[in-house]
Amino acid sequence: MSTAIAAPVDRLLYKPEEAAEALAIGRSTVYELMADGALKYIKLGRTRRIRRVDLEAFVATLAPLPN
């Protein structure tokens, strides 16, 4: 018997918890980045969502440390 594995959903909007998982950081760190303005987000009613392009833009701003 084979088990079908669903392909991951290519999301356009992420909950802060989902963004934290995608970035491999803590949920509270995502909220801090949002509060500091380092990570852009949108508000839909009372909820916050982070666009995929804003996650990618945030990652692009990160610079590796010199060796």
Side-chain angles (χ1 to χ4, degrees):
M1 179 176 195
S2 66
T3 304
I5 299 174
V9 176
D10 192 20
R11 296 181 185 269
L12 296 175
L13 295 174
Y14 290 82
K15 295 177 186 176
E17 295 80 11
E18 295 167 338
E21 184 177 335
L23 294 172
I25 60 176
R27 180 181 63 88
S28 59
T29 303
V30 169
Y31 281 104
E32 289 173 11
L33 291 168
M34 290 166 44
D36 293 342
L39 182 58
K40 294 181 182 178
Y41 65 94
I42 60 171
K43 287 193 77 168
L44 296 171
R46 297 175 64 190
T47 64
R48 295 181 187 125
R49 295 293 183 261
I50 303 162
R51 299 181 311 164
R52 180 177 58 216
V53 295
D54 292 327
L55 283 176
E56 292 169 351
F58 171 73
V59 171
T61 65
L62 301 177
L65 294 175
N67 290 334

Short mmCIF file of all heavy atoms in Angstrom, two decimals:
data_model
loop_
_atom_site.label_atom_id
_atom_site.label_comp_id
_atom_site.label_asym_id
_atom_site.label_seq_id
_atom_site.Cartn_x
_atom_site.Cartn_y
_atom_site.Cartn_z
N MET A 1 0.83 -1.17 0.00
CA MET A 1 0.00 0.00 0.00
C MET A 1 0.88 1.24 0.00
O MET A 1 1.76 1.39 0.83
CB MET A 1 -0.90 -0.02 1.24
CG MET A 1 -1.79 1.15 1.36
SD MET A 1 -2.86 0.90 2.80
CE MET A 1 -4.03 2.12 2.44
N SER A 2 0.67 2.14 -0.92
CA SER A 2 1.48 3.36 -1.00
C SER A 2 0.73 4.52 -0.38
O SER A 2 -0.49 4.60 -0.44
CB SER A 2 1.84 3.67 -2.45
OG SER A 2 0.68 3.99 -3.16
N THR A 3 1.48 5.40 0.20
CA THR A 3 0.91 6.59 0.82
C THR A 3 1.18 7.79 -0.07
O THR A 3 2.32 8.05 -0.43
CB THR A 3 1.54 6.84 2.20
OG1 THR A 3 1.37 5.67 3.00
CG2 THR A 3 0.90 8.01 2.89
N ALA A 4 0.13 8.49 -0.44
CA ALA A 4 0.28 9.68 -1.27
C ALA A 4 0.76 10.83 -0.39
O ALA A 4 0.22 11.08 0.68
CB ALA A 4 -1.03 10.03 -1.94
N ILE A 5 1.77 11.52 -0.85
CA ILE A 5 2.30 12.67 -0.14
C ILE A 5 1.88 13.92 -0.90
O ILE A 5 2.16 14.07 -2.08
CB ILE A 5 3.83 12.61 -0.02
CG1 ILE A 5 4.24 11.36 0.75
CG2 ILE A 5 4.38 13.86 0.64
CD1 ILE A 5 5.72 11.12 0.79
N ALA A 6 1.19 14.80 -0.21
CA ALA A 6 0.71 16.03 -0.83
C ALA A 6 1.88 16.99 -1.04
O ALA A 6 2.75 17.12 -0.18
CB ALA A 6 -0.36 16.69 0.03
N ALA A 7 1.89 17.64 -2.18
CA ALA A 7 2.91 18.65 -2.46
C ALA A 7 2.66 19.86 -1.57
O ALA A 7 1.52 20.19 -1.28
CB ALA A 7 2.86 19.04 -3.93
N PRO A 8 3.73 20.52 -1.13
CA PRO A 8 3.52 21.70 -0.29
C PRO A 8 2.81 22.80 -1.07
O PRO A 8 3.00 22.96 -2.27
CB PRO A 8 4.94 22.13 0.08
CG PRO A 8 5.84 21.43 -0.86
CD PRO A 8 5.11 20.23 -1.36
N VAL A 9 1.98 23.52 -0.35
CA VAL A 9 1.22 24.61 -0.97
C VAL A 9 2.14 25.79 -1.17
O VAL A 9 2.88 26.17 -0.28
CB VAL A 9 0.03 25.01 -0.05
CG1 VAL A 9 -0.72 26.19 -0.63
CG2 VAL A 9 -0.89 23.83 0.16
N ASP A 10 2.11 26.35 -2.37
CA ASP A 10 2.92 27.52 -2.67
C ASP A 10 2.12 28.74 -2.22
O ASP A 10 1.30 29.27 -2.96
CB ASP A 10 3.23 27.57 -4.16
CG ASP A 10 4.29 28.58 -4.49
OD1 ASP A 10 5.04 28.98 -3.59
OD2 ASP A 10 4.37 28.99 -5.67
N ARG A 11 2.34 29.17 -1.00
CA ARG A 11 1.55 30.23 -0.39
C ARG A 11 1.96 31.60 -0.89
O ARG A 11 3.12 31.84 -1.19
CB ARG A 11 1.72 30.20 1.12
CG ARG A 11 1.20 28.96 1.76
CD ARG A 11 1.40 29.07 3.27
NE ARG A 11 1.01 27.85 3.91
CZ ARG A 11 -0.22 27.62 4.37
NH1 ARG A 11 -1.13 28.54 4.26
NH2 ARG A 11 -0.51 26.47 4.95
N LEU A 12 1.00 32.50 -0.90
CA LEU A 12 1.26 33.91 -1.18
C LEU A 12 1.32 34.70 0.11
O LEU A 12 2.04 35.69 0.20
CB LEU A 12 0.18 34.48 -2.10
CG LEU A 12 0.10 33.87 -3.49
CD1 LEU A 12 -1.09 34.45 -4.25
CD2 LEU A 12 1.39 34.12 -4.25
N LEU A 13 0.55 34.27 1.11
CA LEU A 13 0.52 34.93 2.41
C LEU A 13 0.82 33.90 3.50
O LEU A 13 0.35 32.77 3.45
CB LEU A 13 -0.86 35.54 2.68
CG LEU A 13 -1.29 36.69 1.79
CD1 LEU A 13 -2.73 37.07 2.10
CD2 LEU A 13 -0.38 37.88 1.95
N TYR A 14 1.61 34.32 4.49
CA TYR A 14 1.98 33.45 5.60
C TYR A 14 1.52 34.06 6.92
O TYR A 14 1.62 35.27 7.13
CB TYR A 14 3.50 33.30 5.66
CG TYR A 14 4.09 32.50 4.53
CD1 TYR A 14 4.35 33.09 3.31
CD2 TYR A 14 4.41 31.16 4.70
CE1 TYR A 14 4.91 32.36 2.27
CE2 TYR A 14 4.95 30.41 3.67
CZ TYR A 14 5.20 31.03 2.46
OH TYR A 14 5.74 30.31 1.43
N LYS A 15 1.05 33.22 7.81
CA LYS A 15 0.83 33.63 9.19
C LYS A 15 2.21 33.81 9.81
O LYS A 15 3.19 33.21 9.36
CB LYS A 15 0.09 32.54 9.97
CG LYS A 15 -1.31 32.26 9.48
CD LYS A 15 -1.91 31.13 10.28
CE LYS A 15 -3.25 30.71 9.74
NZ LYS A 15 -3.78 29.54 10.46
N PRO A 16 2.33 34.64 10.84
CA PRO A 16 3.65 34.80 11.48
C PRO A 16 4.28 33.46 11.91
O PRO A 16 5.48 33.28 11.77
CB PRO A 16 3.35 35.71 12.68
CG PRO A 16 2.19 36.52 12.22
CD PRO A 16 1.35 35.57 11.40
N GLU A 17 3.47 32.54 12.39
CA GLU A 17 3.98 31.24 12.80
C GLU A 17 4.53 30.47 11.60
O GLU A 17 5.56 29.79 11.71
CB GLU A 17 2.87 30.42 13.48
CG GLU A 17 2.39 31.00 14.78
CD GLU A 17 1.39 32.16 14.62
OE1 GLU A 17 0.90 32.40 13.50
OE2 GLU A 17 1.12 32.82 15.63
N GLU A 18 3.85 30.57 10.47
CA GLU A 18 4.31 29.89 9.25
C GLU A 18 5.57 30.55 8.70
O GLU A 18 6.48 29.87 8.22
CB GLU A 18 3.21 29.90 8.19
CG GLU A 18 1.99 29.12 8.59
CD GLU A 18 0.78 29.39 7.70
OE1 GLU A 18 0.73 30.44 7.05
OE2 GLU A 18 -0.11 28.52 7.68
N ALA A 19 5.64 31.88 8.80
CA ALA A 19 6.83 32.60 8.37
C ALA A 19 8.02 32.20 9.23
O ALA A 19 9.13 32.03 8.72
CB ALA A 19 6.60 34.10 8.43
N ALA A 20 7.79 32.05 10.53
CA ALA A 20 8.86 31.63 11.43
C ALA A 20 9.39 30.27 11.03
O ALA A 20 10.61 30.04 11.00
CB ALA A 20 8.35 31.60 12.87
N GLU A 21 8.50 29.37 10.70
CA GLU A 21 8.91 28.03 10.28
C GLU A 21 9.69 28.09 8.96
O GLU A 21 10.71 27.44 8.81
CB GLU A 21 7.70 27.12 10.13
CG GLU A 21 8.05 25.69 9.79
CD GLU A 21 6.84 24.79 9.72
OE1 GLU A 21 5.81 25.10 10.34
OE2 GLU A 21 6.93 23.78 9.01
N ALA A 22 9.21 28.91 8.02
CA ALA A 22 9.88 29.03 6.72
C ALA A 22 11.27 29.63 6.88
O ALA A 22 12.20 29.26 6.15
CB ALA A 22 9.04 29.89 5.78
N LEU A 23 11.44 30.56 7.83
CA LEU A 23 12.73 31.21 8.05
C LEU A 23 13.61 30.46 9.03
O LEU A 23 14.76 30.82 9.24
CB LEU A 23 12.51 32.64 8.56
CG LEU A 23 11.84 33.61 7.60
CD1 LEU A 23 11.51 34.91 8.32
CD2 LEU A 23 12.71 33.86 6.38
N ALA A 24 13.06 29.44 9.66
CA ALA A 24 13.78 28.64 10.67
C ALA A 24 14.21 29.52 11.85
O ALA A 24 15.34 29.45 12.33
CB ALA A 24 14.96 27.90 10.06
N ILE A 25 13.29 30.39 12.30
CA ILE A 25 13.51 31.23 13.47
C ILE A 25 12.29 31.12 14.37
O ILE A 25 11.28 30.53 13.98
CB ILE A 25 13.78 32.70 13.10
CG1 ILE A 25 12.59 33.31 12.34
CG2 ILE A 25 15.06 32.82 12.28
CD1 ILE A 25 12.75 34.79 12.01
N GLY A 26 12.36 31.70 15.53
CA GLY A 26 11.25 31.62 16.47
C GLY A 26 10.11 32.57 16.12
O GLY A 26 10.32 33.60 15.46
N ARG A 27 8.92 32.22 16.57
CA ARG A 27 7.74 33.03 16.32
C ARG A 27 7.88 34.41 16.93
O ARG A 27 7.54 35.43 16.31
CB ARG A 27 6.51 32.31 16.90
CG ARG A 27 5.21 33.05 16.71
CD ARG A 27 4.05 32.29 17.34
NE ARG A 27 4.21 32.18 18.78
CZ ARG A 27 3.77 33.09 19.66
NH1 ARG A 27 3.15 34.15 19.25
NH2 ARG A 27 3.94 32.91 20.95
N SER A 28 8.41 34.49 18.15
CA SER A 28 8.57 35.79 18.80
C SER A 28 9.57 36.66 18.04
O SER A 28 9.43 37.89 17.99
CB SER A 28 8.99 35.64 20.25
OG SER A 28 10.21 34.93 20.35
N THR A 29 10.57 36.05 17.41
CA THR A 29 11.53 36.80 16.61
C THR A 29 10.84 37.41 15.40
O THR A 29 11.12 38.56 15.04
CB THR A 29 12.70 35.90 16.17
OG1 THR A 29 13.32 35.35 17.33
CG2 THR A 29 13.72 36.68 15.37
N VAL A 30 9.92 36.69 14.79
CA VAL A 30 9.16 37.23 13.66
C VAL A 30 8.36 38.44 14.11
O VAL A 30 8.36 39.48 13.43
CB VAL A 30 8.24 36.16 13.03
CG1 VAL A 30 7.28 36.78 12.03
CG2 VAL A 30 9.07 35.08 12.36
N TYR A 31 7.69 38.35 15.25
CA TYR A 31 6.93 39.49 15.76
C TYR A 31 7.84 40.68 16.07
O TYR A 31 7.46 41.82 15.82
CB TYR A 31 6.11 39.09 16.99
CG TYR A 31 4.84 38.34 16.64
CD1 TYR A 31 4.75 36.96 16.81
CD2 TYR A 31 3.74 39.01 16.12
CE1 TYR A 31 3.60 36.28 16.48
CE2 TYR A 31 2.58 38.34 15.79
CZ TYR A 31 2.50 36.97 15.98
OH TYR A 31 1.36 36.29 15.64
N GLU A 32 9.03 40.43 16.58
CA GLU A 32 9.98 41.51 16.85
C GLU A 32 10.42 42.17 15.54
O GLU A 32 10.52 43.40 15.46
CB GLU A 32 11.19 40.98 17.61
CG GLU A 32 10.91 40.61 19.04
CD GLU A 32 12.09 39.93 19.72
OE1 GLU A 32 13.20 39.92 19.15
OE2 GLU A 32 11.88 39.38 20.82
N LEU A 33 10.71 41.36 14.52
CA LEU A 33 11.11 41.90 13.23
C LEU A 33 10.00 42.73 12.61
O LEU A 33 10.25 43.78 12.00
CB LEU A 33 11.51 40.76 12.27
CG LEU A 33 12.80 40.02 12.62
CD1 LEU A 33 12.92 38.75 11.78
CD2 LEU A 33 14.01 40.92 12.42
N MET A 34 8.77 42.28 12.78
CA MET A 34 7.62 43.03 12.27
C MET A 34 7.48 44.35 13.02
O MET A 34 7.26 45.40 12.40
CB MET A 34 6.35 42.19 12.39
CG MET A 34 6.31 41.02 11.42
SD MET A 34 5.05 39.75 11.74
CE MET A 34 3.60 40.67 12.10
N ALA A 35 7.64 44.33 14.33
CA ALA A 35 7.51 45.54 15.15
C ALA A 35 8.61 46.55 14.83
O ALA A 35 8.38 47.76 14.84
CB ALA A 35 7.53 45.19 16.63
N ASP A 36 9.81 46.05 14.54
CA ASP A 36 10.95 46.91 14.22
C ASP A 36 10.89 47.45 12.80
O ASP A 36 11.67 48.32 12.44
CB ASP A 36 12.27 46.16 14.40
CG ASP A 36 12.55 45.82 15.85
OD1 ASP A 36 11.93 46.44 16.74
OD2 ASP A 36 13.39 44.93 16.09
N GLY A 37 10.00 46.89 11.97
CA GLY A 37 9.91 47.31 10.58
C GLY A 37 10.87 46.59 9.66
O GLY A 37 10.95 46.91 8.47
N ALA A 38 11.60 45.63 10.18
CA ALA A 38 12.55 44.88 9.36
C ALA A 38 11.85 43.87 8.46
O ALA A 38 12.37 43.51 7.40
CB ALA A 38 13.56 44.16 10.25
N LEU A 39 10.68 43.42 8.87
CA LEU A 39 9.90 42.46 8.09
C LEU A 39 8.52 43.07 7.85
O LEU A 39 7.76 43.30 8.80
CB LEU A 39 9.77 41.13 8.84
CG LEU A 39 9.03 40.00 8.16
CD1 LEU A 39 9.65 39.65 6.81
CD2 LEU A 39 9.00 38.77 9.06
N LYS A 40 8.23 43.35 6.60
CA LYS A 40 6.96 43.98 6.25
C LYS A 40 5.83 42.98 6.38
O LYS A 40 6.01 41.78 6.20
CB LYS A 40 7.00 44.51 4.82
CG LYS A 40 7.97 45.62 4.61
CD LYS A 40 7.92 46.09 3.18
CE LYS A 40 8.93 47.18 2.93
NZ LYS A 40 8.93 47.62 1.53
N TYR A 41 4.65 43.50 6.70
CA TYR A 41 3.46 42.66 6.81
C TYR A 41 2.25 43.48 6.43
O TYR A 41 2.31 44.70 6.31
CB TYR A 41 3.32 42.09 8.23
CG TYR A 41 3.06 43.13 9.29
CD1 TYR A 41 1.77 43.44 9.68
CD2 TYR A 41 4.11 43.81 9.90
CE1 TYR A 41 1.53 44.40 10.65
CE2 TYR A 41 3.88 44.76 10.87
CZ TYR A 41 2.59 45.05 11.24
OH TYR A 41 2.35 46.00 12.19
N ILE A 42 1.14 42.79 6.23
CA ILE A 42 -0.13 43.45 5.95
C ILE A 42 -1.12 43.04 7.02
O ILE A 42 -0.96 42.01 7.67
CB ILE A 42 -0.67 43.10 4.54
CG1 ILE A 42 -0.90 41.59 4.40
CG2 ILE A 42 0.27 43.60 3.46
CD1 ILE A 42 -1.62 41.20 3.13
N LYS A 43 -2.12 43.87 7.22
CA LYS A 43 -3.19 43.54 8.16
C LYS A 43 -4.45 43.27 7.36
O LYS A 43 -4.83 44.05 6.50
CB LYS A 43 -3.42 44.67 9.15
CG LYS A 43 -2.31 44.78 10.19
CD LYS A 43 -2.70 45.67 11.33
CE LYS A 43 -3.64 44.89 12.22
NZ LYS A 43 -3.88 45.54 13.51
N LEU A 44 -5.07 42.16 7.66
CA LEU A 44 -6.36 41.79 7.10
C LEU A 44 -7.32 41.68 8.27
O LEU A 44 -7.31 40.68 8.99
CB LEU A 44 -6.29 40.47 6.34
CG LEU A 44 -5.40 40.45 5.10
CD1 LEU A 44 -5.26 39.03 4.58
CD2 LEU A 44 -6.00 41.34 4.04
N GLY A 45 -8.09 42.73 8.48
CA GLY A 45 -8.94 42.74 9.67
C GLY A 45 -8.05 42.82 10.90
O GLY A 45 -7.24 43.73 11.03
N ARG A 46 -8.17 41.84 11.77
CA ARG A 46 -7.36 41.81 12.99
C ARG A 46 -6.15 40.90 12.87
O ARG A 46 -5.40 40.73 13.83
CB ARG A 46 -8.23 41.36 14.15
CG ARG A 46 -9.37 42.33 14.44
CD ARG A 46 -10.29 41.82 15.51
NE ARG A 46 -9.58 41.71 16.78
CZ ARG A 46 -10.07 41.13 17.85
NH1 ARG A 46 -11.27 40.59 17.82
NH2 ARG A 46 -9.38 41.08 18.96
N THR A 47 -5.96 40.31 11.70
CA THR A 47 -4.85 39.37 11.53
C THR A 47 -3.71 40.01 10.77
O THR A 47 -3.90 40.95 10.01
CB THR A 47 -5.30 38.10 10.78
OG1 THR A 47 -5.71 38.48 9.45
CG2 THR A 47 -6.45 37.41 11.48
N ARG A 48 -2.52 39.49 10.99
CA ARG A 48 -1.33 39.93 10.26
C ARG A 48 -0.90 38.80 9.33
O ARG A 48 -0.91 37.63 9.73
CB ARG A 48 -0.19 40.23 11.22
CG ARG A 48 -0.47 41.39 12.12
CD ARG A 48 0.72 41.63 13.02
NE ARG A 48 0.39 42.65 14.00
CZ ARG A 48 0.50 42.49 15.29
NH1 ARG A 48 0.94 41.36 15.78
NH2 ARG A 48 0.17 43.45 16.11
N ARG A 49 -0.52 39.18 8.13
CA ARG A 49 -0.01 38.20 7.16
C ARG A 49 1.24 38.77 6.52
O ARG A 49 1.37 39.98 6.33
CB ARG A 49 -1.04 37.88 6.07
CG ARG A 49 -2.29 37.19 6.58
CD ARG A 49 -1.97 35.79 7.09
NE ARG A 49 -3.15 35.08 7.51
CZ ARG A 49 -3.56 34.97 8.76
NH1 ARG A 49 -2.88 35.56 9.72
NH2 ARG A 49 -4.64 34.30 9.06
N ILE A 50 2.16 37.89 6.18
CA ILE A 50 3.42 38.29 5.57
C ILE A 50 3.44 37.74 4.15
O ILE A 50 3.25 36.53 3.95
CB ILE A 50 4.61 37.76 6.38
CG1 ILE A 50 4.50 38.27 7.82
CG2 ILE A 50 5.93 38.18 5.75
CD1 ILE A 50 5.33 37.50 8.81
N ARG A 51 3.64 38.63 3.20
CA ARG A 51 3.67 38.20 1.81
C ARG A 51 4.97 37.44 1.53
O ARG A 51 6.01 37.74 2.12
CB ARG A 51 3.58 39.41 0.87
CG ARG A 51 2.30 40.20 1.02
CD ARG A 51 2.21 41.37 0.09
NE ARG A 51 3.44 42.18 0.13
CZ ARG A 51 3.77 43.07 -0.78
NH1 ARG A 51 3.00 43.29 -1.82
NH2 ARG A 51 4.89 43.76 -0.67
N ARG A 52 4.88 36.48 0.64
CA ARG A 52 6.06 35.69 0.27
C ARG A 52 7.18 36.60 -0.25
O ARG A 52 8.34 36.43 0.11
CB ARG A 52 5.70 34.63 -0.77
CG ARG A 52 6.90 33.78 -1.17
CD ARG A 52 6.55 32.68 -2.14
NE ARG A 52 5.96 33.25 -3.34
CZ ARG A 52 4.98 32.69 -4.03
NH1 ARG A 52 4.49 31.54 -3.65
NH2 ARG A 52 4.50 33.26 -5.11
N VAL A 53 6.82 37.59 -1.06
CA VAL A 53 7.85 38.49 -1.61
C VAL A 53 8.54 39.28 -0.50
O VAL A 53 9.73 39.59 -0.61
CB VAL A 53 7.27 39.44 -2.68
CG1 VAL A 53 6.80 38.67 -3.90
CG2 VAL A 53 6.17 40.31 -2.14
N ASP A 54 7.81 39.60 0.58
CA ASP A 54 8.43 40.30 1.70
C ASP A 54 9.35 39.39 2.49
O ASP A 54 10.39 39.83 3.01
CB ASP A 54 7.37 40.92 2.60
CG ASP A 54 6.63 42.06 1.91
OD1 ASP A 54 7.27 42.77 1.09
OD2 ASP A 54 5.43 42.24 2.17
N LEU A 55 9.01 38.11 2.59
CA LEU A 55 9.93 37.14 3.21
C LEU A 55 11.21 37.04 2.40
O LEU A 55 12.32 37.06 2.95
CB LEU A 55 9.28 35.76 3.32
CG LEU A 55 8.26 35.54 4.42
CD1 LEU A 55 7.66 34.15 4.31
CD2 LEU A 55 8.89 35.74 5.77
N GLU A 56 11.06 36.93 1.08
CA GLU A 56 12.22 36.82 0.20
C GLU A 56 13.07 38.09 0.26
O GLU A 56 14.31 38.02 0.27
CB GLU A 56 11.77 36.52 -1.22
CG GLU A 56 11.15 35.14 -1.37
CD GLU A 56 10.46 34.91 -2.70
OE1 GLU A 56 10.30 35.88 -3.48
OE2 GLU A 56 10.08 33.76 -2.96
N ALA A 57 12.42 39.26 0.31
CA ALA A 57 13.16 40.52 0.39
C ALA A 57 13.92 40.61 1.71
O ALA A 57 15.07 41.08 1.73
CB ALA A 57 12.19 41.69 0.24
N PHE A 58 13.31 40.16 2.79
CA PHE A 58 13.99 40.17 4.08
C PHE A 58 15.23 39.29 4.05
O PHE A 58 16.31 39.70 4.48
CB PHE A 58 13.04 39.71 5.20
CG PHE A 58 13.75 39.49 6.51
CD1 PHE A 58 14.17 40.56 7.26
CD2 PHE A 58 13.98 38.21 6.97
CE1 PHE A 58 14.84 40.37 8.46
CE2 PHE A 58 14.66 38.00 8.17
CZ PHE A 58 15.08 39.09 8.91
N VAL A 59 15.10 38.09 3.51
CA VAL A 59 16.23 37.18 3.43
C VAL A 59 17.34 37.77 2.55
O VAL A 59 18.53 37.64 2.86
CB VAL A 59 15.79 35.79 2.91
CG1 VAL A 59 16.99 34.89 2.62
CG2 VAL A 59 14.87 35.12 3.93
N ALA A 60 16.95 38.47 1.48
CA ALA A 60 17.95 39.06 0.59
C ALA A 60 18.75 40.16 1.28
O ALA A 60 19.88 40.44 0.89
CB ALA A 60 17.26 39.62 -0.65
N THR A 61 18.19 40.78 2.33
CA THR A 61 18.91 41.84 3.04
C THR A 61 19.92 41.29 4.04
O THR A 61 20.77 42.04 4.52
CB THR A 61 17.95 42.77 3.80
OG1 THR A 61 17.30 42.02 4.84
CG2 THR A 61 16.93 43.40 2.87
N LEU A 62 19.83 40.02 4.35
CA LEU A 62 20.74 39.43 5.33
C LEU A 62 22.11 39.22 4.69
O LEU A 62 22.21 38.68 3.60
CB LEU A 62 20.19 38.07 5.82
CG LEU A 62 18.82 38.12 6.49
CD1 LEU A 62 18.38 36.72 6.85
CD2 LEU A 62 18.86 39.00 7.72
N ALA A 63 23.13 39.66 5.36
CA ALA A 63 24.49 39.52 4.85
C ALA A 63 25.23 38.46 5.67
O ALA A 63 25.16 38.46 6.90
CB ALA A 63 25.22 40.85 4.94
N PRO A 64 25.95 37.59 5.00
CA PRO A 64 26.73 36.60 5.74
C PRO A 64 27.88 37.26 6.48
O PRO A 64 28.40 38.30 6.05
CB PRO A 64 27.24 35.65 4.65
CG PRO A 64 27.18 36.43 3.40
CD PRO A 64 26.09 37.45 3.56
N LEU A 65 28.25 36.70 7.60
CA LEU A 65 29.37 37.22 8.36
C LEU A 65 30.69 36.85 7.67
O LEU A 65 30.82 35.74 7.14
CB LEU A 65 29.36 36.66 9.78
CG LEU A 65 28.18 37.08 10.65
CD1 LEU A 65 28.23 36.36 11.99
CD2 LEU A 65 28.19 38.58 10.86
N PRO A 66 31.67 37.74 7.70
CA PRO A 66 32.95 37.40 7.08
C PRO A 66 33.64 36.33 7.90
O PRO A 66 33.51 36.26 9.13
CB PRO A 66 33.73 38.71 7.12
CG PRO A 66 33.07 39.53 8.19
CD PRO A 66 31.65 39.08 8.26
N ASN A 67 34.43 35.52 7.22
CA ASN A 67 35.15 34.43 7.91
C ASN A 67 36.42 34.92 8.52
O ASN A 67 37.18 35.62 8.20
CB ASN A 67 35.46 33.29 6.95
CG ASN A 67 34.18 32.57 6.58
OD1 ASN A 67 33.23 32.59 7.33
ND2 ASN A 67 34.16 31.94 5.43
#
